[in-house]
Amino acid sequence: MIDLRSDTITQPTPEMREAMATAPVGDDVFGEDPTVNALEEQVAELLGKEAAVYMPTGTMTNQVSVRTHTQPGDEVFMAGNAHIYHYEGGAPSALSGVICKLLPEKRGIFTADDLELAISPDNPHFPAPRLVSVENTSNRGSGSIWPLQSIQEVEKMARKHGLKMHMDGARLWNASVATGISEKEYASYFDSISVCFSKGLGAPVGSALAGSAEFIHRARRFRKQFGGSMRQAGIIAAGALHALNHHRARLAEDNANAKMLAEGLSNLPGVELDPNLVETNIVIFNITSVSAPELEKRLREHEVLVLAVSATSIRGVTNLSISSEEIPQVIDAVRKCL
Ligand SMILES: *Cc1c(COP(=O)(O)O)cnc(C)c1O
């Protein structure tokens, strides 16, 4: 099977398993797991922040961040297609009691003006505006990268209104590899950053939240409340650490494979896709001759796994398990199935 459903499906490599098997561990709730500590220090350093904290999932790092930045009744601004709103089980309202205000977006990117228009006046009728979340790269935006200038403008507007800035950087690594803009530079506009090790980096488990020492200190209490404090977590953190040090640069291959896939698909009759808009490892295309669920089913018979993300659109995500030699096979399978 050529599995393009997500970049979460990867298996740990033998070297990663070895690193996990031999990692020194301790009780992380006591702060005594050397591997978790090393991972947290490295992530903080990489993102140019004072501290970071390891958690089981990116949903948890995002939601702990929302909880740490806000009070119940506060308002959190994000793109209308944001992962935090769509794919995290309604957590902002369930766990933090906040209101999400969804902004108009193009491929997951909104403007400073969109943000300013949405900010409620300081008046007891309205929720208190508190936090802005930027998703880079944007998942439902087809892996789009936020231009640095858009981030700068949104940040300036947020500061003008006294708002905090969070980045959902589950795939920030893919953006940095594509643009050459460091993770640290992207992170410098944000109070908190969530990054995932279990997506393109290929680790089996985990995400980290980075920010100021004071912010991360408070976030640790919410991680505990949400049930995310683990004991000998070095076993899994070792996989994340290995991924960070060995799989980050190779994301360029995933980005290039996605481009190759998009270019091939865009030449097929019945496929709607602009390959110039594929910037990282996510390819979303529209089809006209069959339904997306039907194409997903047919492709499975050709040993290609993709996800129908709407009635008319299909998503393929290149990842560690996909080699460039397999891309022409995928294109050929789509051609046959259409
Ligand atoms: C995958 C993802 C997350 C986190 O997902 P988990 O499965 O909870 O680790 C967060 N944000 C974005 C944009 C993602 O793609």
Side-chain angles (χ1 to χ4, degrees), residues 217-286:
H217 176 73
R218 289 191 295 118
R220 284 181 187 279
R221 174 167 286 114
F222 293 119
R223 178 183 69 163
K224 188 70 183 163
Q225 287 185 3
F226 290 4
S229 297
M230 301 175 283
R231 300 295 176 174
Q232 284 71 30
I235 287 274
I236 51 175
L241 204 49
H242 180 88
L244 203 54
N245 290 325
H246 297 93
H247 293 172
R248 204 143 48 88
R250 69 149 302 285
L251 291 174
E253 285 174 43
D254 292 353
N255 291 351
N257 287 343
K259 193 65 144 183
M260 198 199 306
L261 177 61
E263 277 163 1
L265 291 175
S266 70
N267 290 326
L268 300 180
V271 170
E272 285 170 8
L273 169 64
D274 181 353
N276 295 319
L277 297 181
V278 173
E279 297 176 281
T280 56
N281 69 329
I282 301 179
V283 179
I284 298 179
F285 60 98
N286 284 322

Side-chain angles (χ1 to χ4, degrees), residues 57-59 62 83 88 135 139 168 170-171 196 199:
T57 67
T59 297
N62 277 333
H83 193 281
E88 301 188 7
E135 190 174 308
N139 182 333
D168 178 354
R171 295 188 181 82
C196 289
K199 296 277 168 76

Side-chain angles (χ1 to χ4, degrees), residues 129-299:
R130 193 72 63 200
L131 177 65
V132 180
S133 179
V134 163
E135 190 174 308
N136 192 24
T137 66
S138 166
N139 182 333
R140 287 168 48 122
S142 203
S144 56
I145 301 171
W146 271 72
L148 206 54
Q149 196 186 336
S150 305
I151 292 177
Q152 288 162 342
E153 289 166 4
V154 163
E155 196 233 8
K156 208 167 149 212
M157 187 61 75
R159 301 303 174 199
K160 180 178 155 195
H161 292 273
L163 309 180
K164 298 288 186 188
M165 290 279 288
H166 172 73
M167 175 164 38
D168 178 354
R171 295 188 181 82
L172 178 61
W173 323 113
N174 292 80
S176 284
V177 159
T179 60
I181 298 168
S182 69
E183 290 86 352
K184 194 178 280 188
E185 167 76 12
Y186 280 118
S188 67
Y189 303 96
F190 295 86
D191 301 290
S192 58
I193 303 101
S194 162
V195 288
C196 289
F197 310 110
S198 60
K199 296 277 168 76
L201 289 185
V205 186
S207 288
L209 179 66
S212 70
E214 183 273 337
F215 177 83
I216 295 302
H217 176 73
R218 289 191 295 118
R220 284 181 187 279
R221 174 167 286 114
F222 293 119
R223 178 183 69 163
K224 188 70 183 163
Q225 287 185 3
F226 290 4
S229 297
M230 301 175 283
R231 300 295 176 174
Q232 284 71 30
I235 287 274
I236 51 175
L241 204 49
H242 180 88
L244 203 54
N245 290 325
H246 297 93
H247 293 172
R248 204 143 48 88
R250 69 149 302 285
L251 291 174
E253 285 174 43
D254 292 353
N255 291 351
N257 287 343
K259 193 65 144 183
M260 198 199 306
L261 177 61
E263 277 163 1
L265 291 175
S266 70
N267 290 326
L268 300 180
V271 170
E272 285 170 8
L273 169 64
D274 181 353
N276 295 319
L277 297 181
V278 173
E279 297 176 281
T280 56
N281 69 329
I282 301 179
V283 179
I284 298 179
F285 60 98
N286 284 322
I287 40 172
T288 47
S289 54
V290 287
S291 76
E294 174 61 23
L295 180 58
E296 180 190 307
K297 211 174 89 200
R298 290 184 193 174
L299 280 170

